Amino acid sequence: MIRFHKLALAAAFVAAVGIVPTSIVGNVGFVSALTDEEKAAEAAAATAAAESVIKTSEPYSPPAGSSTFEYEAEVHKMLDIVVNSLYTNKDVFLRELISNASDALDKIRFLSVTKPELLDSKKELEVKIEYDPDNKTLTIRDTGIGMTKDDLIKNLGTVARSGTTNFVKALGDGAADVSMIGMFGVGFYSTFLVADRVTVASKSNDDDTQHVWESLNGEASFHVGPDPRGNTLGRGTEITLHLKEDAEEYLSPYKLKEMIRHYSEFVTHPVYLREIKTAKVPKEKEEDDSKEDSDDIDEIEEDREPEMEEVTTFEYEHINTDPAIWARDKDEITDEEYQEFWKVVSKEGGKAADWSHFNAEGNINFKSILYLPTDVPFALQQGRPDEVKPGLRLYVRKVLISDEFDLMPRYLSFIKGVVDSDDLPLNVNRETLQESKIIKIIKKKLVRKALETIRNLSNRKVEDEESQEVEIDADGNAVVTEDKPKKIHPYIEWYKKFGLSLKMGCIDDPANKDKLQKLLRFKSSKTKGDDEFVSLQEYVDRMKDWQKEIYVFPGETLKQIKTSSFMDMFYEKDVEVLFLTDAIDEYWLQHSREFEGKKYRDITKEGVKFSDEDEDLAKRRNKIYNDKFKPLTKFLKKLFGSDVTKITISKRLGKAPAIVSASEWGNSANMDRIMRAQAFAHGMAPGENSMPTGNLELNPRHPFVIKLLESLPADEDAEVPDSVKDAAWILFDTATMSGGFPIRDPKKYATRMTRVLKSNLGVESLELTEEIDPPEEEDEPEEPEFNMDDIDLGDLDATPIDDSVQLDDLDG
């Protein structure tokens, strides 16, 4: 009934166009009267439209001479799922077909090694893709091993292979979707995602006849028979997709190029795309047998612009031109080739800092090239490591599987490169594979190789500058010239950009923490300049003989750290301290308690001791100081209350009278600052710190502390003068700021400082004086405006100069 209605509509359309008088049409204002030529053109267009409707309504007829075969139940069930799938990424069909074509080419190439005659019918090993906008078809043709009639029947329908069964089962269990179709060896059926009808023509060396396979989308059967066109292939397979209406985007050469480059950029065999191009060329003139043309007529013809006609041409473009250099022997690849491949992988300019090319063998075999970039990804610059796009592409036999797999942990997300394995299925579900044992093994090996690449860069020897001729003086002695700036090690240049990521790795990756710590570099109290750093191993190697810990100082800036009172004793004893100015350093210290058996000691916290002194002498001296200053410490604790955790006599202060340090197991002042600056910190008002400030350490040798002790009344119950209390608070405020902590109560601090200023300046009252009452002033006349436009420079040139005027007169 549906076909009848379409035919009736088509006939009615033709009849309507043919019987409606043009005069009537013209009278109602639709069109004007038509000429005979226009009538003929209109009738031809109507006939063509009707034929198109009839053509689409014609019943499907299989290829002539073909036999009909029923799909196996599992295959048919799978096809129903594919046809009715809502899967949006239909692009996978082209990847599957090119991959299958590449496999067929590999097979014939392998067989031809021992039987060269197999290539006699077709020497070229290639894949060609053609699109036809008029017929809405897309054709993929290869010169591979081809298939016989039995191969077509077995491979494309009747034999329910394990792959088909497993795929259907996985779909039913919810462990797969249509995008995984190639994982089960049945990727060919992805063609029905985009095609209403699929035609496969194939010619094998084992069969003299070229056969054709064809099936409709949704049909329960397929058809196989001799190709009516004869042997058009020579050898190989040709797949023609009759595209659905919603799949016509695949007729665009730009879309096809993008897909080929994305999925099949490094396929071994060349992939060509036939492009349809139109151009206007001068129309050829018909030869005239008459010889009566005169020279004048020829000149007139030459002056006229030639009549143009549009010509359609077909050109094949090689799409996958980039070489898959990871498949070659690394000894045969030059540094220039590696750098060129870096540009392909990274899609960036510039050069890579270093790279590693290796073959991993074992339970899982794969080849890989890993690159260390020189420029920091934008997301890392913004402090958003979780938003860095994965830099590794996963290939199976040079066919791209995905560029979205997290093959590297987030602290190595900046690494770019390729991974190619023959042990992975061709098409995989991202979530399923991400958790698979195979990927975990690959990821572990990649991380180990990445860290090895970074270590090799850190151990690279910097070539000395070329020796220059030494200048010799008259006495034969070498003339000493100014030293040239020392060449910066390439690892230091790289570390300045990516060091934070390595520290993040110490937090995220405990298994590789020891390896990562060896790659860290720091500024210290003994490094000079912007480009000199020290490693942890170098620090340990030059520790003092008595030193048992690695001293670190976390702070906001190098300038603040270097001038801090915490550093006085370390400068005096010539003990090296590592400066930690990155915010992540505090978190790194919490996760990395030691290096090579040496614990880290934060010098801004309590408990810092030096083992170079006589232990017995230090104990006796400390006991005397504690007894002497006990009244002062008791008074200060009562005065400061909860603003201080405890008050002690310090053993490590140099020139400072006092300093506030953090408790050994609490947050440092720097960590406190970082936590208060958190944009999303909950339960704490901005700028507030609910924890005690810290421990007040007093320097028993400083005059301020001694004077403060002497200012206390002998009687503990006696009232302490306000001036002494203010002095004690100012000492505490100064120690708090020297320790890196904020003032707890700025208002009280300002009040105390006002009292000190009032006393020192001898001001009796803080009452403001009366406002002054200035006398009125006469308005001064406004100066005339000076406008250069009112000056005629010509008048100046015409003014004579009086030679009698002397310079002395001008001085007078």
Side-chain angles (χ1 to χ4, degrees):
M1 291 298 295
I2 295 177
R3 292 194 183 96
F4 172 78
H5 286 310
K6 289 183 177 179
L7 289 172
L9 287 173
F13 177 71
V14 175
V17 172
I19 63 174
V20 176
T22 55
S23 58
I24 297 177
V25 177
N27 289 336
V28 296
F30 289 102
V31 294
S32 59
L34 301 178
T35 63
D36 293 339
E37 293 181 357
E38 290 173 336
K39 292 178 182 179
E42 187 177 89
T47 303
E51 290 177 351
S52 175
V53 173
I54 295 172
K55 182 178 179 181
T56 58
S57 304
E58 289 178 354
Y60 167 73
S61 57
S66 64
S67 303
T68 301
F69 300 85
E70 296 294 323
Y71 281 118
E72 285 285 343
E74 293 294 338
V75 177
H76 183 56
K77 183 177 180 181
M78 180 195 64
L79 284 173
D80 284 340
I81 296 174
V82 172
V83 170
N84 297 306
S85 172
L86 297 179
Y87 183 60
T88 55
N89 184 19
K90 300 178 181 179
D91 295 357
V92 294
F93 84 90
L94 189 59
R95 177 189 68 187
E96 299 296 336
L97 296 184
I98 293 178
S99 178
N100 291 345
S102 180
D103 289 343
L105 292 167
D106 287 338
K107 290 178 182 178
I108 193 65
R109 182 178 61 178
F110 176 76
L111 294 174
S112 67
V113 174
T114 55
K115 297 180 180 180
E117 65 275 10
L118 292 178
L119 298 180
D120 290 345
S121 56
K122 199 78 171 178
K123 296 290 184 184
E124 300 83 4
L125 298 178
E126 60 190 8
V127 180
K128 289 187 175 181
I129 300 175
E130 302 173 1
Y131 59 94
D132 186 345
D134 295 333
N135 294 314
K136 295 181 174 51
T137 60
L138 181 66
T139 302
I140 297 89
R141 184 184 305 109
D142 68 72
T143 56
I145 194 169
M147 290 181 282
T148 63
K149 179 180 179 179
D150 290 340
D151 293 334
L152 288 171
I153 296 172
K154 292 178 181 178
N155 293 336
L156 304 183
T158 61
V159 178
R161 293 172 295 162
S162 60
T164 307
T165 305
N166 292 338
F167 178 57
V168 174
K169 184 176 184 299
L171 286 171
D173 295 340
D177 57 37
V178 176
S179 65
M180 298 173 60
I181 188 168
M183 179 178 179
F184 300 89
V186 288
F188 164 78
Y189 298 110
S190 64
T191 54
F192 289 105
L193 290 170
V194 297
D196 283 324
R197 176 162 54 104
V198 178
T199 304
V200 180
S202 193
K203 172 66 175 66
S204 170
N205 287 329
D206 297 333
D207 194 337
D208 294 333
T209 304
Q210 177 174 308
H211 290 87
V212 62
W213 177 102
E214 190 168 273
S215 180
L216 292 179
N217 194 333
E219 196 174 37
S221 60
F222 61 93
H223 315 278
V224 180
D227 194 334
R229 302 173 301 172
N231 185 0
T232 60
L233 298 175
R235 185 194 66 250
T237 301
E238 176 186 85
I239 301 175
T240 301
L241 310 181
H242 303 265
L243 298 176
K244 299 178 181 178
E245 290 185 2
D246 61 353
E248 293 183 6
E249 61 177 315
Y250 300 110
L251 296 173
S252 166
Y254 306 105
K255 174 69 173 179
L256 293 172
K257 285 181 184 179
E258 177 187 358
M259 292 168 59
I260 296 170
R261 288 184 177 130
H262 182 70
Y263 290 114
S264 310
E265 185 175 15
F266 301 110
V267 169
T268 304
H269 307 286
V271 179
Y272 296 95
L273 175 65
R274 190 186 74 171
E275 286 195 71
I276 303 174
K277 298 183 177 180
T278 57
K280 290 187 177 182
V281 298
K283 189 175 182 180
E284 295 184 2
K285 298 179 181 179
E286 296 181 0
E287 295 185 2
D288 191 354
D289 296 336
S290 173
K291 299 181 181 179
E292 297 179 357
D293 296 339
S294 63
D295 295 338
D296 294 337
I297 297 177
D298 290 338
E299 291 179 2
I300 295 173
E301 291 292 335
E302 290 177 0
D303 293 339
R304 291 180 180 174
E305 291 186 3
E307 186 178 354
M308 307 296 287
E309 64 177 347
E310 195 173 79
V311 177
T312 301
T313 59
F314 301 94
E315 297 180 8
Y316 283 95
E317 181 181 352
H318 188 185
I319 305 300
N320 60 331
T321 54
D322 294 321
I325 67 172
W326 67 80
R328 294 164 50 190
D329 189 338
K330 60 183 178 181
D331 295 331
E332 300 175 355
I333 306 174
T334 64
D335 289 351
E336 290 74 16
E337 288 180 294
Y338 277 119
Q339 292 288 7
E340 285 299 317
F341 188 67
W342 154 255
K343 296 177 181 178
V344 174
V345 171
S346 66
K347 308 299 183 185
E348 299 174 1
K351 293 185 177 181
D354 205 355
W355 57 84
S356 176
H357 183 184
F358 61 94
N359 295 340
E361 298 179 350
N363 295 333
I364 301 297
N365 300 323
F366 64 90
K367 299 176 181 179
S368 178
I369 299 181
L370 303 180
Y371 283 98
L372 299 181
T374 54
D375 297 322
V376 182
F378 180 75
L380 277 184
Q381 295 178 24
Q382 301 298 312
R384 302 192 299 269
D386 294 326
E387 296 181 15
V388 179
K389 294 182 179 179
L392 292 183
R393 299 182 182 182
L394 180 61
Y395 290 84
V396 173
R397 297 183 295 277
K398 301 177 187 174
V399 176
L400 179 67
I401 297 304
S402 176
D403 55 1
E404 296 181 355
F405 278 108
D406 296 326
L407 295 175
M408 284 289 181
R410 66 170 183 165
Y411 72 91
L412 292 176
S413 59
F414 55 81
I415 288 182
K416 297 183 181 294
V418 296
V419 179
D420 191 353
S421 174
D422 292 345
D423 296 334
L424 289 174
L426 180 60
N427 197 336
V428 286
N429 176 274
R430 181 176 182 271
E431 289 75 16
T432 303
L433 185 57
Q434 194 70 51
E435 301 300 325
S436 71
K437 184 178 180 181
I438 296 176
I439 286 297
K440 289 180 179 179
I441 295 174
I442 292 178
K443 188 173 182 178
K444 185 176 181 180
K445 292 183 177 181
L446 289 174
V447 171
R448 185 170 67 245
K449 279 294 182 180
L451 297 181
E452 181 183 313
T453 304
I454 299 174
R455 185 180 71 247
N456 292 339
L457 178 61
S458 69
N459 294 333
R460 182 186 299 176
K461 293 183 179 180
V462 180
E463 297 180 1
D464 297 332
E465 297 290 339
E466 296 182 1
S467 57
Q468 298 180 353
E469 295 183 3
V470 180
E471 186 178 350
I472 306 297
D473 60 14
D475 298 330
N477 298 320
V479 177
V480 179
T481 58
E482 295 182 1
D483 294 336
K484 289 187 176 182
K486 189 177 180 181
K487 191 173 182 180
I488 304 174
H489 195 284
Y491 181 69
I492 296 301
E493 293 182 338
W494 184 86
Y495 182 83
K496 285 181 179 180
K497 301 176 181 178
F498 296 94
L500 292 180
S501 293
L502 300 184
K503 292 176 182 177
M504 184 195 303
C506 295
I507 301 171
D508 291 350
D509 192 358
N512 290 301
K513 181 172 61 179
D514 293 339
K515 294 179 181 178
L516 287 163
Q517 287 199 102
K518 292 180 180 179
L519 300 173
L520 303 182
R521 298 294 183 268
F522 301 92
K523 288 289 186 181
S524 80
S525 55
K526 292 190 175 181
T527 58
K528 299 178 181 179
D530 296 333
D531 302 316
E532 186 177 354
F533 289 76
V534 60
S535 67
L536 290 172
Q537 189 61 56
E538 290 171 334
Y539 179 95
V540 171
D541 291 342
R542 60 194 191 198
M543 285 171 57
K544 298 291 184 181
D545 294 337
W546 52 264
Q547 189 176 344
K548 300 177 181 179
E549 298 173 310
I550 299 175
Y551 295 115
V552 298
F553 189 162
E556 189 171 2
T557 65
L558 286 175
K559 183 178 180 181
Q560 292 178 358
I561 292 176
K562 290 178 179 179
T563 58
S564 172
S565 298
F566 285 118
M567 290 296 301
D568 290 346
M569 191 60 69
F570 290 92
Y571 286 138
E572 182 179 327
K573 294 180 177 291
D574 191 32
V575 177
E576 187 173 15
V577 178
L578 299 179
F579 298 155
L580 311 181
T581 55
D582 295 326
I584 197 174
D585 288 334
E586 291 282 359
Y587 301 96
W588 163 66
L589 281 177
Q590 293 177 6
H591 289 80
S592 304
R593 297 292 184 180
E594 61 179 34
F595 174 77
E596 299 291 338
K598 306 288 185 181
K599 292 185 177 180
Y600 297 111
R601 171 62 67 178
D602 184 348
I603 69 171
T604 67
K605 295 185 177 182
E606 64 175 341
V608 176
K609 300 177 181 179
F610 299 102
S611 303
D612 59 332
E613 299 178 349
D614 182 83
E615 187 175 351
D616 182 62
L617 176 62
K619 286 183 178 180
R620 287 186 282 113
R621 184 179 291 160
N622 187 53
K623 184 177 183 303
I624 294 174
Y625 280 142
N626 284 333
D627 293 341
K628 178 181 178 181
F629 288 93
K630 186 175 182 180
L632 178 61
T633 56
K634 187 175 181 181
F635 162 71
L636 294 179
K637 179 59 180 173
K638 182 179 179 181
L639 179 66
F640 300 147
S642 62
D643 285 349
V644 67
T645 304
K646 62 182 177 179
I647 300 173
T648 60
I649 302 302
S650 178
K651 305 173 186 177
R652 46 98 170 246
L653 285 178
K655 301 176 182 179
I659 200 166
V660 173
S661 62
S663 60
E664 185 173 359
W665 304 109
N667 290 332
S668 66
N670 187 58
M671 186 62 176
D672 181 74
R673 174 185 62 84
I674 293 172
M675 293 181 66
R676 283 186 286 106
Q678 296 299 316
F680 294 100
H682 288 55
M684 184 182 296
E688 274 192 21
N689 183 0
S690 58
M691 299 296 291
T693 302
N695 306 319
L696 177 62
E697 298 184 22
L698 299 176
N699 187 347
R701 300 167 56 199
H702 199 280
F704 285 176
V705 178
I706 296 173
K707 184 65 176 178
L708 195 58
L709 175 64
E710 295 173 349
S711 302
L712 295 178
D715 185 2
E716 294 183 4
D717 297 330
E719 182 66 23
V720 178
D722 289 341
S723 60
V724 176
K725 292 181 179 179
D726 282 346
W729 273 109
I730 291 173
L731 179 67
F732 177 64
D733 292 336
T734 305
T736 298
M737 291 186 287
S738 296
F741 290 96
I743 297 296
R744 301 301 296 279
D745 194 333
K747 180 68 175 177
K748 291 182 180 179
Y749 172 75
T751 302
R752 288 191 294 270
M753 294 307 298
T754 301
R755 287 199 297 265
V756 172
L757 288 172
K758 178 182 176 183
S759 174
N760 291 342
L761 295 176
V763 176
E764 296 181 359
S765 174
L766 297 180
E767 292 291 333
L768 299 180
T769 61
E770 294 183 1
E771 188 69 80
I772 62 172
D773 187 13
E776 294 184 2
E777 297 181 358
E778 296 182 1
D779 294 336
E780 296 182 2
E782 295 183 359
E783 295 183 2
E785 294 184 359
F786 183 76
N787 191 347
M788 288 293 296
D789 296 336
D790 298 336
I791 299 176
D792 188 353
L793 298 179
D795 296 341
L796 295 177
D797 296 337
T799 303
I801 299 175
D802 188 355
D803 296 334
S804 63
V805 179
Q806 301 297 322
L807 292 176
D808 295 339
D809 298 334
L810 295 176
D811 293 339

